[in-house]
Amino acid sequence: MSSARAGDDPATGDRLPFAASPPDVRGRGFSSRAALPVMEGWIDATVGPLPPRAVALADLPATLAEGLVLAEPVKAPGDWPPADRAARDGVAVASSDTLGAGSYNPVPLPGAVTVAAGEPMPPGTDAVLPVEAMQADGPFVEALGSAAPGEGVERRGEGLRGGTVLLKAGHRLRPQDLGLLTALGIDTVRVGARPRVRIVLAGGPRSGPETLGAMLTALATRDGGVVELVGPLPADRAALAAAYAAPGADLLISAGRTGVGEDDVAPLALAEAGQLALHGVALRPGDSAALGTAGGVPAVLLPGEPMACLTAYELLAGRALRRLAGRDPGLPHPAVPAVVVRKLVSEIGCTELYRVRRTADGMVEPVASPHRPGLAGAVLADGFVLIPAESEGVPAGATVTLRCFDGTSL
Amino acid sequence: MSSARAGDDPATGDRLPFAASPPDVRGRGFSSRAALPVMEGWIDATVGPLPPRAVALADLPATLAEGLVLAEPVKAPGDWPPADRAARDGVAVASSDTLGAGSYNPVPLPGAVTVAAGEPMPPGTDAVLPVEAMQADGPFVEALGSAAPGEGVERRGEGLRGGTVLLKAGHRLRPQDLGLLTALGIDTVRVGARPRVRIVLAGGPRSGPETLGAMLTALATRDGGVVELVGPLPADRAALAAAYAAPGADLLISAGRTGVGEDDVAPLALAEAGQLALHGVALRPGDSAALGTAGGVPAVLLPGEPMACLTAYELLAGRALRRLAGRDPGLPHPAVPAVVVRKLVSEIGCTELYRVRRTADGMVEPVASPHRPGLAGAVLADGFVLIPAESEGVPAGATVTLRCFDGTSL
């Protein structure tokens, strides 16, 4: 089995979890909605990492900001530094020659050799005195201070022993990592795949299709995907099904037409294109999202209401994409503890997302309740707080986990 | 005056701060080093944002992850939504028609109209009942629950009033911002410049030039620059000066040859190419860094020792670049409070950087002291802690500010 293909059962290769399609909810409403952990569990059971790709280190510096995640651990091939060397500019000495030297007791050093930081230690020396601790007396060099053995010297293997695991699988590469890997002579690393993400705009009256297309493209790019944007398409089951099942994608994301109106044909189209595994999630906003497979790859249907679309992307579609890309499937938003100014109420049985902003005194306050549609609340917010389904909310003054929308925190 | 040119005095247009060049330290050592805030102050006084660039929103989604910062605030051009509309799929009703309705008291609604979320409210209606609260009785529709006025309706301007400042200057654009800006009909925004950064590898024995070139390219790209990599060049004053002064850059960064050895000619080359304003900073690692101008643009000389280079980049070169790019000049690393496992000692009068990693119980411990050269410590670290010059360190159990090397925290 390809670990990346959705819908394959590890044991039999053909069975699917939740094989019976959920009912058509149009005009009827949802009789039940899956708990968020059930949806997440379906994704985790169905979606695995695509084969990693080998990239040359020389190609990485300009693209590092896009996020590159190691697919396998990197070990130090040998000791670093490979030999004793000067840790600073100065004069290499035998430390025993400097015993008792001081500014009132200059000690001549006939065999002293000037070294620059990084140069190998000359034979017979074991310390580097800084330039400030030396003086010239005619042709002679004198020490104005003593050096202990090893002082000013970087010893072989001091930075790193050969075989040490430098970076674990899943590690997101940082600038200094490139520097050390290059210094160690490692010229290629294996990093997570860049999944091909087809985003189908299934239309809907809520907002211009560009709204969702721009936002979803930015989100999927952030999570490591290469985006193909399709649509907006009419509310036509066959047209949507054809777009869903077309080859060439590793993940299908569709936005819009997931609700209970007559035109909400996206779930039916998914059933036609592959499998509709779960439709409806106990998540607010985002409760009409659906999961399944299309053309042999995982598929996530997002609501067309923009805030519901954003929420369901982050928690469901993004999770699937991050798994395909070999990244941490959890939310990519920095998490910090924060104290809430006001009570946040939440319905038991439903995971709710509050958009919040920081106050002047370092606490957070809600900008918009989970019921409030539209992106304005998310734009005015610094981050969000998730209230789990088993909670009826948190009182004023409680500490919660703030998820920051951008990369900053504190 | 162009606010982006270094070396111009706002009042006279030609005077420079710190006009007298620092002394040649080769073979002698530093007689004094500038405090870090003095170096930062020089950068802040000398380097301002380059003119912003206008970008089409349609071009942004695929490049958002690189970091795009607004150069001016964005206001809502009008109310959003522009008219009352359905907040959910259901049936639009006059709320007064549903008074007293319940599952044991279905109330007929002869004028009910099905609406999808986002559709305008039909005349004479002021609420949307969910599909689950309706039933069909032959040709008639009956309400099984009552609706309060405005229930299920998103009112005009509820999300946003026209004229509201949506996003401030300096804001880093996020996916949802693109969604809302597009929905509001804003198709162009002004964002910070992409400064042209020339990185000159001035050589030095410490490590392969690729080490610093790869790391510095990744760092400068992260901070919004477009990098031109030059070298490695020989330790030749005239050759370096020519590379420093060549036209076509907005910022010069040079790495290596800043110390007290005979070959440390980078500061002399900078004086020849423009001005050497400050050489030596009370910062460990990174103490041989220098600031000045070359060919009319700001110039930062970084030490060649890789860890000193990284530190001086983050605190000095990166600050200059972030200012040119119109970004927050402060460190871009997420900052979170953390408790230190062990004492961190620090020399009074010197800002020191400890590389630290998280422990299993959520505290941080030092990986490498400020004296330890090499990138291995930074690669094994999760972040760093800065001990300010006025402090002699922090005791075990103290809370410090952890700066995370990557975008995650907690």
Side-chain angles (χ1 to χ4, degrees):
Chain A
M1 135 194 212
S2 155
S3 62
R5 297 296 99 175
D8 297 335
D9 182 275
T12 68
D14 59 13
R15 276 183 300 129
L16 291 159
F18 309 97
S21 253
D24 185 356
V25 298
R26 293 180 304 155
R28 274 183 237 143
F30 290 89
S31 56
S32 71
R33 292 186 175 88
L36 179 60
V38 170
M39 301 288 266
E40 292 170 335
W42 188 91
I43 292 169
D44 293 349
T46 311
V47 186
L50 293 170
R53 59 201 169 105
V55 288
L57 232 68
D59 295 335
L60 293 189
T63 58
L64 202 64
E66 296 168 14
L68 289 167
V69 172
L70 284 178
E72 58 193 19
V74 173
K75 288 184 186 183
D79 288 349
W80 187 261
D84 290 0
R85 59 183 189 176
R88 59 186 174 204
D89 297 339
V91 175
V93 298
S95 56
S96 54
D97 292 349
T98 68
L99 277 175
S103 50
Y104 296 102
N105 181 33
V107 169
L109 293 173
V113 179
T114 303
V115 288
E119 284 182 344
M121 293 297 291
T125 66
D126 67 349
V128 176
L129 271 177
V131 170
E132 294 86 342
M134 310 292 298
Q135 70 179 10
D137 181 16
F140 305 107
V141 174
E142 296 178 333
L144 302 177
S146 63
E151 193 178 324
V153 177
E154 191 185 3
R155 296 205 188 265
R156 171 183 173 162
E158 178 183 308
L160 206 56
R161 288 278 167 208
T164 308
V165 172
L166 272 178
L167 300 167
K168 295 178 187 166
H171 174 83
R172 181 174 171 151
L173 287 171
R174 306 160 301 176
Q176 67 263 36
D177 302 332
L178 299 193
L180 185 62
L181 294 177
T182 317
L184 293 174
I186 296 170
D187 56 9
T188 308
V189 288
R190 292 173 71 78
V191 300
R194 304 194 68 189
R196 300 164 298 167
V197 182
R198 178 174 302 135
I199 297 177
V200 175
L201 301 172
R206 191 49 188 245
S207 53
E210 302 85 1
T211 308
L212 300 183
M215 180 175 75
L216 290 171
T217 300
L219 287 164
T221 304
R222 178 201 70 192
D223 285 335
V226 179
V227 172
E228 173 201 4
L229 197 58
V230 176
L233 299 181
D236 179 89
R237 176 176 168 163
L240 286 178
Y244 292 172
D250 301 307
L251 173 66
L252 171 78
I253 298 176
S254 173
R257 307 287 188 200
T258 58
V260 298
E262 205 47 48
D263 281 346
D264 285 314
V265 294
L268 304 173
L270 182 58
E272 193 170 313
Q275 184 214 14
L276 175 65
L278 288 162
H279 183 204
V281 52
L283 170 68
R284 180 174 297 128
D287 65 4
S288 66
L291 297 175
T293 62
V297 304
V300 184
L301 306 186
L302 306 173
E305 195 289 303
M307 186 61 213
C309 182
L310 173 61
T311 303
Y313 174 87
E314 295 288 22
L315 292 166
L316 300 173
R319 185 181 190 90
L321 175 50
R322 293 186 292 267
R323 287 190 67 88
L324 288 168
R327 301 188 175 198
D328 182 338
L331 290 168
H333 312 84
V336 287
V339 174
V340 291
V341 173
R342 291 206 299 277
K343 184 179 175 181
L344 305 181
V345 294
S346 179
E347 183 191 333
I348 289 200
C350 186
T351 302
E352 303 206 14
L353 181 144
Y354 272 89
R355 290 154 275 178
V356 301
R357 69 179 153 216
R358 289 198 190 82
T359 63
D361 52 0
M363 301 168 79
V364 294
E365 63 179 0
V367 173
S369 95
H371 293 271
R372 165 79 57 99
L375 293 176
V379 167
L380 298 173
D382 295 311
F384 60 91
V385 173
L386 283 173
I387 313 288
E390 60 272 21
S391 165
E392 55 185 339
V394 294
T399 297
V400 295
T401 297
L402 166 66
R403 290 286 186 169
C404 303
F405 273 132
D406 61 15
T408 61
S409 51
L410 195 76
Chain B
M1 137 198 212
S2 156
S3 63
R5 297 297 100 174
D8 298 335
D9 182 275
T12 68
D14 58 15
R15 279 183 299 130
L16 291 159
F18 308 96
S21 252
D24 184 356
V25 299
R26 292 178 305 155
R28 275 183 238 145
F30 290 88
S31 56
S32 71
R33 291 186 175 88
L36 179 60
V38 170
M39 301 288 267
E40 293 170 336
W42 188 91
I43 292 169
D44 293 349
T46 311
V47 186
L50 293 169
R53 59 200 168 105
V55 288
L57 232 69
D59 294 335
L60 294 189
T63 58
L64 202 64
E66 297 168 13
L68 289 166
V69 172
L70 283 178
E72 57 192 21
V74 173
K75 290 185 185 182
D79 289 347
W80 187 263
D84 290 0
R85 59 184 190 175
R88 60 186 174 204
D89 297 338
V91 175
V93 298
S95 57
S96 55
D97 291 350
T98 67
L99 277 176
S103 50
Y104 295 103
N105 181 33
V107 169
L109 292 173
V113 179
T114 303
V115 288
E119 284 182 343
M121 293 297 290
T125 67
D126 67 349
V128 176
L129 271 177
V131 169
E132 293 87 342
M134 310 292 298
Q135 70 178 11
D137 180 16
F140 304 107
V141 173
E142 295 177 334
L144 302 177
S146 63
E151 193 178 323
V153 177
E154 190 185 3
R155 295 202 190 267
R156 169 181 174 163
E158 179 183 306
L160 205 56
R161 287 281 167 203
T164 307
V165 172
L166 270 179
L167 300 167
K168 295 177 186 166
H171 174 82
R172 181 174 171 150
L173 287 171
R174 306 161 300 179
Q176 69 262 37
D177 302 332
L178 299 193
L180 186 62
L181 294 176
T182 318
L184 293 173
I186 296 170
D187 55 8
T188 308
V189 289
R190 291 172 72 78
V191 300
R194 304 195 66 187
R196 299 165 299 168
V197 182
R198 177 175 302 134
I199 297 177
V200 175
L201 301 172
R206 190 52 188 241
S207 53
E210 303 84 2
T211 308
L212 301 183
M215 180 175 75
L216 289 171
T217 300
L219 288 164
T221 304
R222 178 202 69 193
D223 284 336
V226 180
V227 172
E228 173 202 3
L229 198 58
V230 176
L233 299 181
D236 179 89
R237 176 176 169 163
L240 287 178
Y244 292 173
D250 301 307
L251 173 66
L252 170 79
I253 298 176
S254 174
R257 306 288 188 200
T258 58
V260 297
E262 204 49 48
D263 281 346
D264 284 315
V265 294
L268 304 172
L270 182 57
E272 193 171 313
Q275 184 214 12
L276 176 66
L278 288 162
H279 184 204
V281 53
L283 171 68
R284 182 174 296 127
D287 66 4
S288 67
L291 298 176
T293 62
V297 304
V300 185
L301 305 187
L302 305 174
E305 194 289 303
M307 187 61 212
C309 183
L310 173 62
T311 303
Y313 174 88
E314 294 289 20
L315 292 166
L316 300 172
R319 185 181 190 89
L321 175 50
R322 293 186 291 266
R323 288 190 66 87
L324 289 167
R327 301 188 175 197
D328 182 338
L331 291 168
H333 312 84
V336 288
V339 174
V340 291
V341 173
R342 291 206 298 277
K343 184 178 176 180
L344 305 181
V345 294
S346 180
E347 182 191 335
I348 287 198
C350 186
T351 302
E352 301 206 15
L353 181 144
Y354 273 88
R355 289 152 278 178
V356 300
R357 69 178 153 216
R358 290 200 190 80
T359 62
D361 52 0
M363 301 169 80
V364 294
E365 63 179 1
V367 173
S369 96
H371 294 269
R372 167 77 57 99
L375 291 176
V379 167
L380 298 173
D382 295 311
F384 59 92
V385 173
L386 283 173
I387 312 288
E390 61 271 20
S391 166
E392 57 184 338
V394 294
T399 297
V400 296
T401 298
L402 166 66
R403 291 286 187 169
C404 305
F405 274 131
D406 63 13
T408 59
S409 51
L410 194 75

